[in-house]
C-alpha cells in the first residue's frame, strides 16, 4: 500500500493536482523540517536549495527579473519556524521570504544577488510515509541569459485571471442605498509588512479591519467589504480591482508601519499625489509599493501609458473628494483618541490609492517603531476608540459629499 501511495503522490505532484488523502498524514498541511533544510553555496558561484517536507505536494519554480528573484510555489505549506535566518547560508541569496500567497497556495521568494539560472529541480519522494526533499540547483549565468529565461509561466491552474481595469459611468444611487466601503488591510501572506517583536503589520491591520468593519456595520447604512479576510497575499492591483468590482463609494487602506530613520508618532491619513508632501511620506509610499515585488509578482510589461493618462484625468476629478474624506477622517479620529501625528494629513504616491473614480485614503493607524503607538495599536480599547472616530468621520463626509455634489449638479 505504501508503494501505491508513493506512486499516487508523485503522479499528482507531476501533473499539478492535490494528492489524495489515503491516511491521516496526507490530510494535514505539508510541514518544513528546518533542521534538514538549507540554502547553501554550490560550486562555481551556484546555489543549492534543499527543502525537507513532510509529504509530497504539487509545486512549480521560475525566476523573475527586475529585480532578480527565484520563486517556488507549493500547494499550501505550514511555514512555522521557517525564515531567512534559519535557512539561508548562501552568499548570493540576499533574502528569503515565505508565506501564504493566495487561499490554498504558498510561496517562497529568494532574492538573487547575481544572475543565476535553474540547472536542476526535483522532488525526491520517499515511501509515501516519510519526508520528501525538494532539491534545486542554481548556476551562475550572464545577465542576458538570466533575462531571457526569466518570467512567470502562464498556467490557469496556479494563476489568478488577469485584472481588467475599466471605467464606466455609474448610475446615481438612491438616497436609501448604503455607502459601500472597501477596507483594505495592508500586506498579508508572504508579505508581513513591518515587524517588531511578536507583532507584524499584516496581523495588526487585519485585526483592526475586522473591528472597524463591525463598528461600521453597527452604525447602519454602511456596506463593508474587506480586500482580504485572512492571512493571504493580495496584489496592489487586485485590491483596487476589488473596489471597482463592488462599485465601492470609498476605499480605505489600513497600515501600521515602522520608520527606521527619524521619528514618527501618531495616526496619519494620506491621499494620492504624484509628489509626496514630505520625505517621510515618500519613504512610506516606496515601502508600500514594493509589496508586489516582495511577493514574487512578475511586473514586466504591465505599464500602459495610454490607460494611465485616461486614469489620471479621472483621478483629478476624484482628488477633491478624497481630500475632503481625509480631512474628515482626521477630525473624527482626533475627537475620539486625541493627539494624532503633528501633521496628520499628508500626500504620497501610494499605488493602492490609484482607483480613478473612488475617493481613497490610506490610514497609518500608528507606527510600530514608536513605543507609545505600539502600545496603542495593540490595545483593543484604543483600537475601538479609533474605529469610532473613523466612523464619525465617515458619517460626516457622506453628508458633506452629498451636499457638495448636489451643489455642483445644480
Amino acid at each position: 500500500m505504501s508503494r501505491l501511495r508513493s506512486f499516487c503522490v508523485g503522479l499528482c505532484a507531476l501533473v499539478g493536482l492535490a494528492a489524495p488523502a489515503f491516511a491521516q498524514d496526507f490530510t494535514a498541511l505539508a510541514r518544513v523540517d528546518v533542521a534538514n533544510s538549507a540554502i547553501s553555496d554550490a560550486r562555481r558561484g551556484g546555489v543549492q536549495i534543499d527543502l525537507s517536507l513532510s509529504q509530497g505536494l504539487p509545486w512549480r519554480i521560475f525566476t523573475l527579473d527586475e529585480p532578480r528573484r527565484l520563486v517556488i510555489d507549493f500547494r499550501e505549506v505550514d511555514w512555522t519556524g521557517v525564515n531567512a535566518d534559519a535557512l539561508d547560508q548562501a552568499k548570493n541569496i540576499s533574502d528569503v521570504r515565505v508565506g501564504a500567497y493566495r487561499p490554498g497556495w504558498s510561496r517562497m521568494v529568494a532574492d538573487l544577488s547575481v544572475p543565476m539560472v535553474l540547472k536542476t529541480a526535483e522532488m525526491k519522494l520517499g515511501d509515501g510515509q516519510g519526508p520528501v526533499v525538494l532539491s534545486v540547483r542554481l548556476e551562475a549565468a550572464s545577465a542576458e541569459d538570466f533575462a531571457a529565461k526569466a518570467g512567470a509561466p502562464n498556467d490557469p491552474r496556479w494563476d489568478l485571471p488577469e485584472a481588467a481595469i475599466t471605467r464606466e459611468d455609474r448610475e446615481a444611487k438612491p438616497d436609501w442605498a448604503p455607502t459601500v466601503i472597501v477596507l483594505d488591510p495592508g500586506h498579508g501572506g508572504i508579505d508581513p509588512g513591518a515587524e517588531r517583536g511578536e507583532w507584524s503589520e499584516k496581523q495588526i491591520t487585519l485585526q483592526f479591519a475586522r473591528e472597524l468593519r463591525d463598528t461600521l456595520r453597527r452604525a447602519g447604512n454602511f456596506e463593508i467589504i474587506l480586500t482580504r479576510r485572512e492571512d493571504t497575499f493580495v496584489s496592489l492591483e487586485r485590491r483596487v480591482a476589488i473596489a471597482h468590482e463592488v462599485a465601492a463609494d470609498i476605499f480605505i487602506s489600513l497600515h501600521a508601519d515602522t520608520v527606521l530613520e527619524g521619528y514618527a508618532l501618531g495616526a496619519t491619513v494620506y491621499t494620492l499625489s504624484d509628489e509626496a508632501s514630505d520625505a517621510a511620506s515618500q519613504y512610506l509610499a516606496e515601502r508600500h509599493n514594493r509589496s508586489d515585488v516582495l511577493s514574487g509578482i512578475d511586473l514586466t510589461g504591465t505599464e500602459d501609458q495610454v490607460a494611465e493618462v485616461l486614469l489620471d484625468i479621472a483621478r483629478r476629478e476624484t482628488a477633491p473628494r478624497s481630500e475632503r474624506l481625509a480631512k474628515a477622517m482626521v477630525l473624527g479620529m482626533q475627537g475620539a483618541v486625541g493627539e494624532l501625528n503633528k501633521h496628520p494629513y499628508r500626500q504620497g504616491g501610494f499605488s493602492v490609492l490609484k482607483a480613478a473614480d473612488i475617493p481613497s485614503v490610506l490610514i497609518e493607524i500608528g507606527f510600530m517603531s514608536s513605543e507609545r503607538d505600539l502600545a496603542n495599536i495593540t490595545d483593543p480599547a484604543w483600537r475601538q476608540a479609533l474605529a469610532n472616530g473613523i466612523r464619525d468621520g465617515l458619517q460626516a463626509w457622506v453628508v458633506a459629499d452629498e451636499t457638495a455634489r448636489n451643489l455642483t449638479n445644480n
Side-chain angles (χ1 to χ4, degrees), residues 164-171 244-245 247 311 314 356-358:
I165 300 178
T166 59
R167 185 189 176 201
E168 298 179 357
D169 294 331
R170 301 185 186 183
E171 296 181 2
H244 282 106
E245 288 171 2
L311 292 174
D357 52 349
I358 304 171

Side-chain angles (χ1 to χ4, degrees), residues 272-293:
L272 179 68
S273 174
D274 291 335
E275 295 184 6
S277 55
D278 53 85
S281 298
Q282 181 174 347
Y283 166 78
L284 288 175
E286 290 171 352
R287 276 177 56 90
H288 292 321
N289 293 346
R290 290 187 67 236
S291 290
D292 287 1
V293 171

Side-chain angles (χ1 to χ4, degrees), residues 108-284:
M108 169 183 281
V109 180
D111 295 339
L112 308 181
S113 302
V114 299
M116 292 182 286
V117 295
L118 287 170
K119 183 177 182 182
T120 59
E122 61 177 332
M123 182 172 285
K124 302 173 183 177
L125 296 166
D127 62 1
Q129 297 178 339
V132 301
V133 176
L134 177 62
S135 180
V136 176
R137 175 66 67 91
L138 303 176
E139 63 179 7
S142 67
E144 293 77 13
D145 191 23
F146 179 89
K149 295 180 179 179
N154 182 15
D155 188 340
R157 296 173 299 176
W158 294 83
D159 301 325
L160 293 172
E162 293 185 7
I165 300 178
T166 59
R167 185 189 176 201
E168 298 179 357
D169 294 331
R170 301 185 186 183
E171 296 181 2
K173 295 175 62 172
D175 294 338
W176 51 263
T179 299
V180 179
I181 300 175
V182 169
L183 297 180
D184 174 45
H187 307 281
I190 193 172
D191 174 23
E195 295 179 290
R196 184 172 179 188
E198 63 179 314
W199 300 102
S200 68
E201 186 176 5
K202 68 176 182 178
Q203 70 185 105
I204 289 175
T205 57
L206 182 57
Q207 179 64 35
F208 182 64
R210 291 167 173 165
E211 295 165 349
L212 179 56
R213 173 197 60 192
D214 295 343
T215 298
L216 295 176
R217 282 177 174 172
R218 288 193 295 269
N221 213 37
F222 289 120
E223 180 182 347
I224 312 301
I225 293 93
L226 269 61
T227 57
R228 65 180 180 94
R229 290 173 288 182
E230 55 188 345
D231 184 20
T232 55
F233 174 80
V234 183
S235 71
L236 297 174
E237 184 180 33
R238 179 61 185 153
R239 294 170 193 263
V240 177
I242 289 171
H244 282 106
E245 288 171 2
V246 300
D249 298 301
I250 297 171
F251 179 89
I252 302 175
S253 190
L254 300 169
H255 290 265
D257 219 299
T258 59
V259 175
L260 301 180
E261 297 181 5
Y263 187 67
L265 181 72
T268 315
V269 185
Y270 297 85
T271 55
L272 179 68
S273 174
D274 291 335
E275 295 184 6
S277 55
D278 53 85
S281 298
Q282 181 174 347
Y283 166 78
L284 288 175

Side-chain angles (χ1 to χ4, degrees), residues 336-358:
V337 300
E339 186 178 2
L340 305 180
N341 187 275
K342 63 180 180 180
H343 299 298
Y345 169 52
R346 304 189 184 208
Q347 295 176 307
F350 297 90
S351 293
V352 78
L353 298 182
K354 290 188 176 180
D357 52 349
I358 304 171

